[in-house]
Amino acid sequence: DSVAALVSRTGIRAPFAILHPGTARREKFWPADRWGEVAAALRQMGATVVMTGTGTGLEAEDVAVIRAQAEVVDLTGQLRLSELAALISQARLALGVDSMAMHLAALSRVPQVVLFGPTNPFHWRPLHARAAVLCPGQEEPVTQFDPRRRGGAMEDISARAVIASARRLWAGD
């Protein structure tokens, strides 16, 4: 099993949470220091925090900030797509912005916290019950989706809201 070998090789201890902060569009990034806060909160919940992504290009600066601020198993730039998908499928929780990694988590029905800013979650949200969709200016996950919803700035999503959703999902609520 390649996931078992990957987990063994990298020292990931269960239970683990995937933190995938990047995506292809800069306006969809959430402030890196807030990801650091979230990673610290996950550690307090007992999670091993596994950071994934390319770690290069648009992500490079943010990954460096998170790496410096939080204790994570950093797998950025080390996984093939098939390995990322397999690893996500084994996570107890996945967190990230609207990105391919969060779509992979949705396919595996992994509990997840997904942050949407400029994109409308109506079209791209996870369609399973163990997902919390957070949007700018709201402290609680979105439960009513509107195809005409206007986007907002990622900075307007609070770390408090992300951590609260992560806690609920981590606890199995």
Side-chain angles (χ1 to χ4, degrees), residues 32 42 104-105 131 134:
L42 289 166
L104 290 173
L134 298 174

Side-chain angles (χ1 to χ4, degrees), residues 135-146:
C135 291
Q138 295 190 227
E139 288 299 308
E140 293 295 321
V142 177
T143 57
Q144 299 294 316
F145 298 94
D146 181 347

Side-chain angles (χ1 to χ4, degrees), residues 28 31 42 51-52 56 58-59 70 84 86 101 107 109 119 129 143 157-158 162 171:
K28 290 169 51 173
L42 289 166
M51 185 167 57
T52 59
T56 62
L58 294 177
E59 293 181 13
L84 175 63
L107 283 171
R109 302 216 184 291
T119 53
T143 57
I157 300 173
S158 74
V162 175

